[in-house]
Amino acid sequence: MRKPKNVRARQLRSNVEAIAAAHELAALLADGAIARDRDQLVPKAEMEALSRSGLLAITVPASHGGADVSFATVAEVFRILSAADPAIGQIPQNHFVCVNVLREAGTPEQQAFFFAEVLRGARFGNAQAERGTASTMHIATALRQAGDGYRLNGTKYYCTGALTANWIPVAALDPEDRSVFVYVPRDAEGVEVLTDWDPIGQRVTFSGTVHLRDVAVTPDLVVEQWRSLSKPGLNHAFLTLMHAAIDVGIARDAFGDLVRELRGRTRPRHGAAVTNGTEDPYVLADVGRFAARLAALEAGLSAAADKLDVAVQAGLDARNTGEALVAASGIKGLAEEISIAISSELFALLGASSTERGRALDRHWRNARTHTVHDANHWRFRIVANWRVNGALPLPLGRRRAGG
């Protein structure tokens, strides 16, 4: 393995310290969020600030020097950061997934090395999804034997975080068609990260293409994820929970702008029998409805996260990990609906001037709509209903070769 990078990161020791660090970083991120979105700026300085904050290491096990915080704390960290800038909030999502892969499937040597990297502030990117395969669960990227090591070839898309990462964990198949994660250095020969991400929202995630052309890989960089796939785990529930937290953050930010804009208005909407815009009873009713739904959503996010923590404390089994996924799926589905509703309806409540580009209020809807299309919301609610009605727990995720 390579010599660990000499990155200076704060060492966070508790749930309380992690939440405080998230609020501190969020204050920094909020100031430039509009400009970054408008000009699609690569967030190099912001990602360095994230590394220095120590937040990237909060799920490193205590036995390796990490804070080993609760899932509830991780969800709250993502909510806080995403309320400041949901693109920056989304970038480290797969970093935490890949830390969890190491926890579940890494060898003691791999854990020692990579956890030390993360504690120093190293960032994991992501190269998992592919285009043109039979389904989202099929992959073609593969390792082939080359002497004492391997060569890695493939093309990935939706590679959130890869552009500004130190390491890019790549989902691939080993020579025996088993699922592995290959932790590739960002600057390795044969790795090309493109800035071809051009969406309507979440523009600063730079979730574009990564080409892997005959990349030399040593065996110690290959994490045999297949060994953990047959055991109950929380990777899918954790991933879903983080997605939900990002949407909750978007909803909170949109609601904050809605209230702030309303407080600054005096002229009522046409037809309103009031003298001040803040007295319009129909506007107040809609804002109150959104406030109640948002409060319930934030409480639901915390409750869903608690399901994951309870599963860990009880000892992971098929039932409690399945129930955790049910809870995470439900709150993700609800977060999608509410974030889109608030970010869309705020224009009707604020009037024509709210559509002015300089106000940048459209970023909330663009971010919500872009982030919420990872998979169909109907399937999330079906997972919940299938458990409630039929007692059927969701099946764990797995990966298969393209065309297989």
Side-chain angles (χ1 to χ4, degrees):
M1 292 186 182
R2 292 184 168 201
K3 182 180 179 180
K5 295 182 180 297
N6 185 25
V7 182
R8 296 189 65 181
R10 185 191 313 180
Q11 299 299 300
L12 303 175
R13 300 298 183 188
S14 68
N15 294 287
V16 172
E17 288 185 7
I19 297 299
H23 280 296
E24 182 180 323
L25 181 60
L28 182 153
L29 297 177
D31 285 343
I34 291 175
R36 285 191 297 273
D37 171 75
R38 181 189 63 227
D39 301 327
Q40 199 172 15
L41 304 174
V42 178
K44 294 180 179 179
E46 290 75 19
M47 296 311 294
E48 289 298 325
L50 175 60
S51 285
R52 290 193 302 272
S53 74
L55 288 169
L56 293 175
I58 57 177
T59 59
V60 170
S63 58
H64 287 269
D68 206 2
V69 302
S70 66
F71 285 107
T73 292
V74 178
E76 180 64 2
V77 165
F78 270 82
R79 188 197 67 80
I80 292 167
L81 297 182
S82 297
D85 185 332
I88 304 296
Q90 184 183 344
I91 288 175
Q93 172 208 300
N94 282 290
H95 169 94
F96 283 92
V97 168
C98 294
V99 170
N100 203 49
V101 168
L102 287 163
R103 292 184 65 141
E104 292 186 349
T107 65
E109 294 77 17
Q110 289 170 331
Q111 291 175 344
F113 175 81
F114 282 113
F115 289 155
E117 282 279 270
V118 173
L119 285 165
R120 290 181 178 88
R123 298 183 296 276
F124 292 152
N126 148 57
Q128 298 182 58
E130 299 180 11
R131 284 178 162 178
T133 55
S135 78
T136 57
M137 299 308 301
H138 287 62
I139 59 173
T141 301
L143 285 171
R144 62 175 176 82
Q145 201 75 41
D148 294 334
Y150 305 96
R151 292 286 175 170
L152 180 65
N153 286 277
T155 295
K156 299 288 188 176
Y157 198 68
Y158 304 117
C159 299
T160 304
L163 187 64
T164 55
N166 305 110
W167 295 86
I168 303 177
V170 180
L173 293 166
D174 71 9
E176 297 181 48
D177 283 353
R178 300 172 302 191
S179 295
V180 295
F181 266 72
V182 187
Y183 286 63
V184 177
R186 165 67 175 83
D187 59 359
E189 185 176 354
V191 175
E192 182 185 18
V193 183
L194 305 184
T195 55
D196 58 342
W197 179 239
D198 189 28
I200 60 171
Q202 295 295 83
R203 303 182 69 232
V204 183
T205 63
F206 286 94
S207 305
T209 304
V210 170
H211 291 300
L212 305 151
R213 300 186 178 94
D214 220 26
V215 179
V217 174
T218 53
D220 55 2
L221 299 180
V222 180
V223 177
E224 296 179 333
Q225 189 201 20
W226 60 270
R227 294 186 181 277
S228 66
L229 293 180
S230 61
K231 299 180 292 185
L234 289 170
N235 244 1
H236 191 186
F238 187 27
L239 176 65
T240 304
L241 183 73
M242 287 186 286
H243 274 306
I246 294 164
D247 291 340
V248 176
I250 293 172
R252 171 54 67 183
D253 196 18
F255 183 78
D257 272 357
L258 169 60
V259 171
R260 186 164 46 253
E261 289 279 339
L262 282 173
R263 285 173 175 169
R265 291 170 184 262
T266 56
R267 191 169 71 175
R269 296 188 299 179
H270 178 69
V274 294
T275 58
N276 192 295
T278 60
E279 299 170 352
D280 186 322
Y282 297 112
V283 169
L284 290 176
D286 284 339
V287 172
R289 188 176 298 110
F290 283 143
R293 294 174 72 188
L294 183 56
L297 181 64
E298 290 174 336
L301 178 69
S302 178
D306 286 341
K307 280 284 190 181
L308 277 72
D309 287 318
V310 168
V312 170
Q313 293 160 10
L316 301 184
D317 59 34
R319 184 181 179 92
N320 61 32
T321 56
E323 289 179 343
L325 179 54
V326 169
S329 298
I331 202 64
K332 176 62 180 79
L334 193 61
E336 173 171 327
E337 292 186 344
I338 294 176
S339 64
I340 290 174
I342 296 177
S343 60
S344 176
E345 291 303 313
L346 65 81
F347 295 101
L349 296 174
L350 293 175
S353 63
S354 64
T355 64
E356 294 172 354
R357 288 189 179 184
R359 296 182 185 276
L361 294 174
D362 63 304
R363 75 187 189 280
H364 301 304
W365 181 87
R366 289 186 292 102
N367 289 333
R369 185 66 279 180
T370 300
H371 182 254
T372 55
V373 293
H374 282 82
D375 52 278
N377 220 25
H378 287 86
W379 285 101
R380 299 193 188 97
F381 288 128
R382 179 188 178 277
I383 286 174
V384 176
N386 207 26
W387 167 239
R388 295 297 180 189
V389 176
N390 301 314
L393 289 168
L395 296 175
L397 282 177
R399 290 189 179 272
R400 299 168 60 199
R401 177 177 291 280

